[in-house]
Amino acid sequence: MSDRPAHGAPSGSLTEGLLERLQSSARTPAIGAADGARTPAIVFAATAERAAAGLVRRGVHPGDVVAVLAPPSPDRLLAVFTALAAGAVVLPLVQDDRSAAAEVLTTTDARLLLAAEELAPEALELADRSRVRQVVAFGQAAETTPFDELLLPGPEGAEPDRGDGAGESGLMTYVADARSVRTALHGQEELLGRFRTLDADLALTHQDTVALDASMPEAERVVLAAVALWRGASVVASPGEADTDLAALGVTVQGSPGPARIG
């Protein structure tokens, strides 16, 4: 375990201060997809902040539940970071169990759903089966609000009110069985505690590239991504396909079965 001090580690939430940190660094980490497409991390963080402001302008308050329906990908990571930056409780949905997804959306009173473009029809169906009032989708999907609309500026001189922080934010996961759907809230204190542990254990630098994949627990995947970006490392958001060539993507740290260096 590294005893390196966690200088510049986030406080309050995983996303707070990330954009400013990237802006003040000469490093150029990126968010990558399994197909090799890359987005500069500073663009990713700026987009999450602007989209979070858009969510707030659309009535998302601290502690509100914002659901996410997308495969493991840069879009899913962006949706999660956006909801966290808005002070919401982000609820990533398990794609292959629609009944459980509809039930957890209803029981948590989720009113907004961020969805991948290809999953927009499924997101709209889930909205019909729950209290979700608005589906925001990446790309252009019929009957949805384009994610890019969240990036539009508000009225001149107006700043979105993100509330006083009274509502608890974090990441919610759920488990379904034949009898019920049980949820667990991973609050910011828990997420930041895990951040500090992974940060010390992995001692990431700008020379690292971290692979996330579908087999990781959601909270672990999000925290690992946050650690990587804070330390100037790049991230590959992989769907966990067996034929993904991690070496070709420059991966030095693999997220599954547990975050660890490879090679």
Side-chain angles (χ1 to χ4, degrees):
M1 176 181 294
S2 169
D3 59 358
R4 181 186 56 146
H7 176 68
S11 62
S13 77
L14 284 180
T15 60
E16 186 175 341
L18 175 60
L19 177 58
E20 290 81 1
R21 182 173 178 83
L22 291 169
Q23 288 173 328
S24 65
S25 173
R27 308 302 181 188
T28 56
I31 308 294
D35 63 4
R38 291 166 61 87
T39 299
I42 194 168
V43 173
F44 172 92
T47 302
E49 284 291 325
R50 288 170 59 197
L55 288 182
V56 173
R57 282 193 294 270
R58 283 161 174 75
V60 172
H61 296 93
D64 284 353
V65 175
V66 173
V68 172
L69 182 65
S73 62
D75 281 352
R76 182 183 181 98
L77 197 60
L78 177 58
V80 170
F81 271 58
T82 293
L84 289 175
V89 172
V90 58
L91 173 64
L93 298 174
V94 178
Q95 186 179 338
D96 59 359
D97 191 341
R98 295 187 186 184
S99 295
E103 182 173 343
V104 76
L105 285 170
T106 300
T107 58
T108 60
D109 200 28
R111 301 301 176 95
L112 191 142
L113 174 56
L114 299 169
E117 183 176 17
E118 67 273 18
L119 296 179
E122 183 174 336
L124 291 167
E125 178 185 335
L126 288 171
D128 287 341
R129 298 173 59 183
S130 65
R131 298 192 184 99
V132 169
R133 294 174 178 170
Q134 186 173 18
V135 175
V136 177
F138 292 93
Q140 299 291 326
E143 301 180 59
T144 69
T145 299
F147 182 86
D148 284 351
E149 287 193 10
L150 298 180
L151 307 180
L152 297 176
E156 186 175 353
E159 290 294 330
D161 181 6
R162 302 198 185 194
D164 59 6
E168 183 176 10
S169 68
L171 187 142
M172 184 177 290
T173 57
Y174 64 97
V175 176
D177 57 29
R179 294 179 298 176
S180 64
V181 176
R182 300 181 303 281
T183 62
L185 176 61
H186 306 274
Q188 293 292 351
E189 184 176 350
E190 176 187 338
L191 296 176
L192 290 170
R194 185 56 180 155
F195 180 105
R196 291 188 290 270
T197 298
L198 285 180
D199 188 29
D201 287 349
L202 296 174
L204 298 174
T205 73
H206 68 278
Q207 296 177 318
D208 285 310
T209 297
V210 177
L212 316 175
D213 63 56
S215 64
M216 297 180 67
E218 190 77 37
E220 188 84 345
R221 184 162 58 232
V222 173
V223 172
L224 180 57
V227 173
L229 295 177
W230 271 88
R231 295 306 169 201
S234 292
V235 171
V236 176
S238 165
E241 296 169 351
D243 59 354
T244 300
D245 189 345
L246 297 181
L249 296 172
V251 170
T252 58
V253 175
Q254 191 166 357
S256 180
R261 293 192 173 273
I262 60 177

